[in-house]
């Protein structure tokens, strides 16, 4: 099957459960993931045949998508604040509106004049001027985005779920962003006391 034919067929099938625009977006994401080609590349190489392996993967993905499974879980990836994150069903899918929260925090810190934005890795963990904790960190999207933007801030990501922390730590390692991800149940007062004093507390809305 040609690459263009596969994308059209998937889009048409998805339109039975999604609106036309969303179906097109999901189909494009799947074909880009499978082929490694951008939208423009797929237009240029529209007659390129998918391999047997790609067709097999496409069939499996289509079955999951037709069961209303989010495309981010099917592809095991999601983008947030310019970061490509690994996600699975143990964490929430990062939402675009949460990026607004990250932008608000960054702009607020800039206005405060705190010197945490210089990308000097040797000093990244020496700052005492700004400590941030992300409660219910999930995939680690907020904590990682804040640490990338403010490398000299000390950022913690907390979650009661060990499965979620595994995802967050994987993202931190893959992106090479140093965030301390720790297991904390905020209903447990003793565990809360183990956390350091912080300047900013973030909770994923």
């Amino acid at each position: 099957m040609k690459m263009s034919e596969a994308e059209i067929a998937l889009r048409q099938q998805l339109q039975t459960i999604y609106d036309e625009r969303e179906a097109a977006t999901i189909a494009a994401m799947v074909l880009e993931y499978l082929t490694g080609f951008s939208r423009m590349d797929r237009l240029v190489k529209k007659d390129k045949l998918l391999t047997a392996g790609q067709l097999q993967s496409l069939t499996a993905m289509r079955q999951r998508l037709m069961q209303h499974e989010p495309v981010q879980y099917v592809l095991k990836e999601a983008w947030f604040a310019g970061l490509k994150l690994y996600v699975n069903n143990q964490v929430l899918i990062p939402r675009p509106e949460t990026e607004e929260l990250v932008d608000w925090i960054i702009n607020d810190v800039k206005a405060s004049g705190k010197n945490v934005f210089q990308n000097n890795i040797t000093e990244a963990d020496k700052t005492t001027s700004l400590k941030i904790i992300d409660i219910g960190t999930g995939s680690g999207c907020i904590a990682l985005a804040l640490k990338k933007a403010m490398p000299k801030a000390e950022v913690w990501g907390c979650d009661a779920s060990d499965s979620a922390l595994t995802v967050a730590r994987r993202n931190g390692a893959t992106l090479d962003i140093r965030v301390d991800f720790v297991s904390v149940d905020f209903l447990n007062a003793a565990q809360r006391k183990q956390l350091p004093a912080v300047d900013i507390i973030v909770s994923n809305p």
Side-chain angles (χ1 to χ4, degrees):
M1 179 182 285
K2 295 178 181 179
M3 189 161 48
S4 58
E5 294 173 340
E7 185 166 347
I8 292 170
L10 179 59
R11 184 175 69 240
Q12 290 175 342
Q13 289 172 314
L14 291 172
Q15 284 178 8
T16 64
I17 58 174
Y18 294 106
D19 64 44
E20 184 176 350
R21 183 175 179 180
E22 188 168 6
T25 298
I26 294 172
M29 290 172 66
V30 170
L31 266 295
E32 182 167 340
Y33 176 86
L34 282 175
T35 66
F37 293 143
S38 67
R39 180 177 179 274
M40 186 59 65
D41 288 336
R42 294 197 308 277
L43 288 173
V44 173
K45 304 176 182 181
K46 62 181 180 179
D47 293 330
K48 183 177 177 61
L49 296 176
L50 295 179
T51 66
Q54 288 171 333
L55 285 171
Q56 185 176 9
S57 295
L58 178 59
T59 298
M61 290 178 178
R62 181 176 62 246
Q63 291 173 348
R64 294 172 63 184
L65 291 167
M66 293 302 291
Q67 295 297 316
H68 297 271
E69 187 172 355
V71 65
Q72 292 88 346
Y73 289 158
V74 173
L75 304 182
K76 295 190 180 300
E77 66 180 36
W79 286 89
F80 181 84
L83 302 177
K84 183 180 178 180
L85 302 172
Y86 170 83
V87 294
N88 60 26
N89 60 8
Q90 299 301 305
V91 298
L92 295 175
I93 297 167
R95 295 181 295 178
E97 54 265 34
T98 306
E99 292 188 24
E100 297 177 9
L101 172 63
V102 170
D103 289 339
W104 179 82
I105 294 170
I106 292 170
N107 290 332
D108 195 53
V109 173
K110 283 180 179 178
S112 74
K114 291 185 183 294
N115 181 27
V116 293
F117 294 94
Q118 294 180 3
N119 192 13
N120 187 336
I121 299 301
T122 60
E123 298 179 9
D125 297 311
K126 295 181 180 180
T127 182
T128 57
S129 62
L130 184 64
K131 296 179 185 290
I132 303 171
I133 189 166
D134 174 27
I135 301 172
T137 195
S139 65
C141 60
I142 293 175
L144 291 166
L146 290 174
K147 180 66 174 181
K148 182 175 177 60
M150 300 180 284
K152 291 175 66 177
E154 182 177 344
V155 183
W156 294 66
C158 303
D159 208 294
S161 167
D162 290 335
S163 296
L165 288 171
T166 297
V167 173
R169 288 168 181 149
R170 173 173 175 169
N171 283 323
T174 300
L175 295 167
D176 194 24
I177 300 175
R178 175 77 180 275
V179 170
D180 292 306
F181 290 111
V182 295
S183 178
V184 178
D185 181 355
F186 274 79
L187 297 179
N188 186 317
Q191 289 189 25
R192 291 201 304 272
K193 290 179 181 179
Q194 297 174 11
L195 294 170
V198 296
D199 303 294
I200 299 175
I201 297 175
V202 187
S203 181
N204 200 338

